[in-house]
Amino acid sequence: MDIKNIKLAALDLDGTLLADNKLLCEGAREVLEEAKERGIHIVPITGRPYKGVPDFIKSLSSVEYIITSNGAQIIEKKSEKSIFSYTISNRKSKKIMEILRSFPCLFEPFCDGVGYTEKHIYDFYLSNFRGTPLEEYFTSSRVICNDYNEIFRDASKCADEFFVSCPDEKTRSRLMEKVNELGSVQFCTHRDRFLEISERGTDKGNALRIICKHLKVDINETIAFGDGENDILLLEAAGIGVAMGNAEPPLKKHADIIAKTNNANGVCEIISRLNR
């Protein structure tokens, strides 16, 4: 695929489009706007819930759609309505919570565009994130609730995913085995403690295929950028896959291009090539 033929750019946010300070690098807005003027769709694709997507991303005129919760939701920015939803059923969400409560872990269900969190978990994370670039993301994307069961009493409520923090890798492995017994679930691991649980088939690669169909773009005419293992299927699906210089080693094995790091504006250096 010739990089000049790209019609859509799918951009992971944290560790990719956003620098470590969780902001855009200098000149990024202008590069993305120019790409849009040349007919390239700019689609942020993130593990964050919609409410956790920074306002400066939502304000970009180049952005029409935002893919959230690792592909569980595709949101039309103008209406803030979901045009695609791939969620865990209410019944299975409740069963997953039963299992999670039997393990020494912290967990949060994501649905309705937010992460729901019980007060003691909110306080724990906030004490760890206070004074860091993650503080603003955490406080803007979470809603405190007394009990997760209250949310899922409404039979129409379905989780986009569960974000789980385990004390160690051994506990995480045992937890995955137990949840897997429910069937039709998938997992995304981060480092040695974190885990995301979603419905099987919910991933960034599948979401890219769906938004391409919606926009009538050939998936071979796409370029995708990422830095984590949850971006592997995204890079595999895209016409051109780009791993950031700071990407986790497993992702780099699936990349066609290795860009500069997120702090060196690696995304926009590649996008600039599309604008020539």
Side-chain angles (χ1 to χ4, degrees), residues 38-215:
R38 292 176 64 86
I40 299 170
H41 297 281
I42 302 298
V43 182
I45 181 165
T46 178
R48 296 182 180 215
Y50 185 73
K51 191 176 179 183
V53 176
D55 287 340
F56 60 80
I57 295 294
K58 295 174 182 175
S59 71
L60 292 171
S61 62
S62 56
V63 171
E64 297 175 280
Y65 298 92
I66 301 174
I67 299 173
T68 64
S69 296
N70 284 322
Q73 299 286 345
I74 301 178
I75 307 295
E76 181 187 48
K77 188 187 73 173
K78 183 177 180 180
S79 65
E80 296 194 324
K81 301 295 184 183
S82 176
I83 67 164
F84 169 80
S85 177
Y86 202 35
T87 57
I88 305 170
S89 72
N90 178 270
R91 182 170 175 270
K92 189 185 292 183
S93 294
K94 291 176 179 177
K95 287 191 172 184
I96 290 173
M97 288 194 297
E98 286 179 16
I99 294 171
L100 290 171
R101 290 200 186 281
S102 70
F103 281 81
C105 61
L106 303 178
F107 71 93
E108 301 167 291
F110 284 17
C111 60
D112 304 326
V114 302
Y116 286 99
T117 182
E118 293 174 344
K119 184 65 164 57
H120 70 284
I121 297 175
Y122 182 90
D123 291 342
F124 173 80
Y125 279 133
L126 188 58
S127 68
N128 282 274
F129 295 151
R130 187 173 283 112
T132 75
L134 281 172
E135 181 179 2
E136 191 280 331
Y137 160 62
F138 183 73
T139 56
S140 68
S141 64
R142 264 53 172 189
V143 170
I144 298 174
C145 64
N146 293 323
D147 183 350
Y148 297 146
N149 291 329
E150 294 178 3
I151 300 165
F152 292 96
R153 268 193 201 104
D154 180 348
S156 68
K157 291 292 185 185
C158 301
D160 293 334
E161 64 172 307
F162 288 89
F163 181 77
V164 188
S165 175
C166 299
D168 50 57
E169 189 170 0
K170 183 178 180 180
T171 301
R172 184 174 70 179
S173 295
R174 290 193 296 110
L175 172 58
M176 290 169 64
E177 289 177 6
K178 191 66 176 176
V179 174
N180 198 48
E181 292 174 4
L182 298 176
S184 193
V185 293
Q186 66 184 34
F187 308 100
C188 181
T189 58
H190 301 274
R191 297 180 173 82
D192 62 346
R193 293 192 302 116
F194 299 108
L195 173 68
E196 289 175 279
I197 305 170
S198 59
E199 185 71 12
R200 186 176 298 158
T202 304
D203 60 70
K204 292 182 178 182
N206 191 42
L208 178 62
R209 295 183 188 94
I210 293 166
I211 194 65
C212 282
K213 185 176 181 180
H214 180 75
L215 294 171

Side-chain angles (χ1 to χ4, degrees), residues 234-252:
L234 172 64
L235 267 60
E236 287 183 339
I240 297 175
V242 183
M244 307 305 293
N246 53 286
E248 296 174 9
L251 182 68
K252 291 183 177 179

